[in-house]
Amino acid sequence: MISIENISKWYGDFQVLTDCTTHVGKGEVVVVCGPSGSGKSTLIKCVNGLEPVQQGRILVEDADVTAKGTNLTRLRSRIGMVFQHFELYPHMSVRENLCLGQQKVLVRSRDEANAKAEALISRVGLLPHIEKFPGQLSGGQQQRVAISRALAMDPIAMLFDEPTSALDPEMINEVLDVMVELAQDGMTMMVVTHEMGFARKVADRVVFMDAGRVVEDRATEEFFGNPESERAQDFLSKILNH
Amino acid sequence: MNYNWNWGVLFEGEYLGWLISGVGWTFAVALAAWVLALAVGVLVGVGRTLPSKPVATLCTAYVELFRNVPLLVQLFLWYFVMPEIVPDDLGRWMKRDMPNPEYVTAVIGLGLYTASRVAEQVRAGINAVGPGLTSAAYANGFSTAQTYRYVLLPISFRLIVPPMTSEFLTIFKNSSLALTIGLLELTAQSQQIAEYTFQGFEAFTAATVIYVVIALGATVIAQTLEKYTRIPGYVGKD
Ligand SMILES: Nc1ncnc2c1ncn2[C@@H]1O[C@H](COP(=O)(O)OP(=O)(O)OP(=O)(O)O)[C@@H](O)[C@H]1O
Ligand SMILES: [Mg+2]
């Protein structure tokens, strides 16, 4: 479904990504982890073309994200994305956050969009808050709304960039629960996260990045059982021992 | 000091009429120039934030040009120089047949100058919204136009209400420069009353009070606007 083939990317002279290759099959969950600054966010932003790459190729289904003539707007409307800082539209109610894309991009009717919004918001237990504004919700609630907003577009895959790392510890699980459920429903997911419990539970593979390179890309049990590289071992021991 | 105070002069039919007409022209210039400034300023301000290099450069050039040449010089350029450098026919029309040339010139000069200042506010507002929300909107499937229309502009317009209020007040004050090209707005009329009646204190006090009242009125309107457009729980970029 998502296939990243030998991509390299530079910010000016600085090479952020070096020859990265990985893939996410239909219905698969792939967790991306690695130290800060290793290029995880950059990699995931390349998948829906938010960041251009200078070398290599990314395919989503049959569309080539990196080719010149590709309709990126259309492609993005089919891939959901969830950010570290939620990025909900602050001037709109939860309902409007969920309906805007449906109505303006997918050209759904107001009733259809509303019905979808209500159904999705009920699923994450926030129906009583549907008329509130993002600023009136807790971080965990905002992130659940953000996930629902992405799902409202009926995406073929979902990208997550550290969805729980801006949250207070007591709110992390309410968001992870939603993501686990989504994974179990068969959603194709690429998730940048340091929540190793989540990775163990639902990830099919773990991609470990360091200094802009994909250092390991292996089945979850293998990765946790005996990571090959020293850097991954280091990283795991640090993250698991606190 | 030997000065004969006579506040009554302000309420004598003829002079009161001048004042009222002056206020009328001040409003007419300031409001029309404001509309022009908003239209051009929003376009230029947005242009400076677009990914397209040529468009952004062009808009930056506009801002630097119009913001850095003194307004008075700009008014003179529009009024005295412009008709000479445009094609002959147009120049002749501007000098002879253009209706109310002082007014039209004042509106264009003041409007285009203020547009450069509005553009800076709009740009600052858009930048204050932050790259995160822009990415989110694109990721949601919006085109660039939709991202501006539904996300960036509605938020940044709310953020810039206070600085825009001050631009709006400035346009009223700056409209007094139109007297230099012969428009009989409030300051010009006060000056004329002073010359006719030798009651300069009264005439300019009247003008001062009227400008202050306009400013207070605009401030109250702006505060109401700010209150009604406030986003619940939102304090701008974190
Ligand atoms: N717009 C940019 N311009 C220049 N350099 C950038 C830009 N964005 C990111 N970088 C650099 O690229 C590198 C990778 O950044 P990236 O955000 O992808 O890392 P990350 O793995 O997501 O880190 P974190 O865990 O802190 O989120 C960093 O060194 C960062 O400083
Ligand atoms: Mg990151």
Side-chain angles (χ1 to χ4, degrees), chain A residues 97-116:
Chain A
N97 264 275
L98 266 71
C99 287
L100 188 67
Q102 294 190 67
Q103 291 182 259
K104 302 302 174 191
V105 178
L106 304 179
V107 233
R108 286 184 183 150
S109 74
R110 173 184 292 268
D111 289 345
E112 202 184 341
N114 265 318
K116 180 112 200 165

Side-chain angles (χ1 to χ4, degrees), chain A residues 37 39-42 84 161-162 192:
Chain A
K40 308 176 297 290
S41 299
T42 309
Q84 185 173 358
D161 188 3
E162 304 208 37
V192 176

Side-chain angles (χ1 to χ4, degrees), chain A:
Chain A
M1 162 91 61
I2 299 172
S3 153
I4 299 171
E5 301 170 1
N6 307 99
I7 63 164
S8 294
K9 174 176 176 62
W10 286 261
Y11 282 121
D13 289 338
F14 174 65
Q15 183 159 14
V16 233
L17 297 176
T18 310
D19 200 25
C20 294
T21 299
T22 188
H23 65 96
V24 187
K26 193 167 165 48
E28 263 188 338
V29 176
V30 171
V31 159
V32 181
C33 62
S36 182
S38 55
K40 308 176 297 290
S41 299
T42 309
L43 181 73
I44 206 165
K45 280 184 197 155
C46 292
V47 173
N48 63 354
L50 284 179
E51 288 287 347
V53 301
Q54 281 82 42
Q55 271 175 28
R57 192 166 78 136
I58 299 176
L59 300 177
V60 175
E61 283 199 316
D62 292 327
D64 185 344
V65 183
T66 44
K68 268 222 158 70
T70 308
N71 185 342
L72 280 181
T73 307
R74 198 180 124 64
L75 181 101
R76 289 188 192 119
S77 70
R78 302 166 65 215
I79 305 175
M81 188 160 194
V82 176
F83 300 82
Q84 185 173 358
H85 296 288
F86 331 129
E87 310 298 355
L88 293 171
Y89 310 132
H91 58 307
M92 294 182 175
S93 66
V94 169
R95 179 191 293 281
E96 291 166 322
N97 264 275
L98 266 71
C99 287
L100 188 67
Q102 294 190 67
Q103 291 182 259
K104 302 302 174 191
V105 178
L106 304 179
V107 233
R108 286 184 183 150
S109 74
R110 173 184 292 268
D111 289 345
E112 202 184 341
N114 265 318
K116 180 112 200 165
E118 284 166 17
L120 284 166
I121 273 304
S122 308
R123 248 178 61 183
V124 297
L126 294 173
L127 194 56
H129 301 288
I130 196 165
E131 309 302 345
K132 288 193 182 166
F133 285 78
Q136 300 169 316
L137 301 176
S138 75
Q141 291 173 327
Q142 289 191 54
Q143 197 59 299
R144 284 184 278 157
V145 173
I147 295 172
S148 307
R149 176 178 69 181
L151 291 175
M153 305 294 284
D154 291 323
I156 55 171
M158 288 280 285
L159 309 173
F160 294 82
D161 188 3
E162 304 208 37
T164 58
S165 58
L167 296 177
D168 293 336
E170 74 270 17
M171 295 176 184
I172 290 177
N173 280 325
E174 66 191 55
V175 171
L176 288 180
D177 289 347
V178 172
M179 292 168 61
V180 167
E181 204 177 301
L182 200 56
Q184 285 165 350
D185 285 351
M187 176 59 77
T188 305
M189 293 162 65
M190 188 167 174
V191 186
V192 176
T193 185
H194 290 161
E195 292 295 332
M196 292 300 131
F198 171 82
R200 278 219 163 105
K201 200 160 172 185
V202 296
D204 295 290
R205 291 203 333 284
V206 176
V207 170
F208 176 75
M209 293 185 69
D210 189 29
R213 291 172 189 274
V214 172
V215 178
E216 303 215 19
D217 179 357
R218 308 174 53 206
T220 308
E221 305 89 76
E222 280 179 49
F223 178 77
F224 286 109
N226 60 332
E228 266 169 18
S229 65
E230 219 167 278
R231 279 178 291 184
Q233 287 167 11
D234 247 31
F235 177 77
L236 274 178
S237 69
K238 265 187 216 138
I239 210 165
L240 295 176
N241 296 333
H242 73 259

Side-chain angles (χ1 to χ4, degrees), chain B residues 160-226:
Chain B
I160 63 175
V161 170
M164 289 291 270
T165 307
S166 116
E167 292 304 333
F168 185 62
L169 297 182
T170 305
I171 212 170
F172 271 95
K173 290 180 271 176
N174 280 344
S175 70
S176 62
L177 285 179
L179 78 86
T180 59
I181 55 171
L183 186 75
L184 289 174
E185 45 65 69
L186 179 55
T187 306
Q189 293 286 17
S190 311
Q191 196 177 20
Q192 192 167 307
I193 294 172
E195 277 164 14
Y196 271 67
T197 62
F198 303 105
Q199 306 295 150
F201 274 106
E202 290 85 343
F204 287 112
T205 305
T208 306
V209 169
I210 292 170
Y211 280 119
V212 169
V213 167
I214 292 173
L216 290 178
T219 308
V220 169
I221 292 171
Q223 276 167 354
T224 316
L225 189 66
E226 211 177 323

Side-chain angles (χ1 to χ4, degrees), chain B residues 22-219:
Chain B
V23 171
W25 281 113
T26 290
F27 268 93
V29 170
L31 293 181
W34 184 244
V35 170
L36 180 64
L38 278 185
V40 176
V42 169
L43 287 179
V44 172
V46 166
R48 285 194 79 177
T49 66
L50 288 178
S52 158
K53 259 268 159 59
V55 174
T57 310
L58 200 70
C59 293
T60 306
Y62 178 95
V63 169
E64 292 308 330
L65 183 67
F66 280 87
R67 198 174 51 162
N68 290 321
V69 176
L71 176 55
L72 190 57
V73 175
Q74 291 189 38
L75 287 178
F76 286 168
L77 286 173
W78 287 113
Y79 195 67
F80 297 113
V81 180
M82 210 55 185
E84 309 300 332
I85 57 177
V86 294
D88 281 353
D89 289 347
L90 184 59
R92 207 170 305 126
W93 179 80
M94 285 170 82
K95 278 187 273 192
R96 276 203 222 137
D97 301 326
M98 189 165 79
N100 209 341
E102 296 83 16
Y103 175 71
V104 173
T105 310
V107 168
I108 290 176
L110 189 56
L112 293 183
Y113 166 77
T114 308
S116 69
R117 306 180 54 96
V118 169
E120 279 304 89
Q121 301 300 349
V122 170
R123 178 175 77 109
I126 291 171
N127 287 341
V129 175
L133 263 181
T134 313
S135 296
Y138 283 127
N140 212 179
F142 294 129
S143 63
T144 303
Q146 287 175 318
T147 298
Y148 276 87
R149 163 77 181 76
Y150 298 115
V151 181
L152 293 179
L153 292 181
I155 301 172
S156 53
F157 283 168
R158 287 169 167 93
L159 294 178
I160 63 175
V161 170
M164 289 291 270
T165 307
S166 116
E167 292 304 333
F168 185 62
L169 297 182
T170 305
I171 212 170
F172 271 95
K173 290 180 271 176
N174 280 344
S175 70
S176 62
L177 285 179
L179 78 86
T180 59
I181 55 171
L183 186 75
L184 289 174
E185 45 65 69
L186 179 55
T187 306
Q189 293 286 17
S190 311
Q191 196 177 20
Q192 192 167 307
I193 294 172
E195 277 164 14
Y196 271 67
T197 62
F198 303 105
Q199 306 295 150
F201 274 106
E202 290 85 343
F204 287 112
T205 305
T208 306
V209 169
I210 292 170
Y211 280 119
V212 169
V213 167
I214 292 173
L216 290 178
T219 308

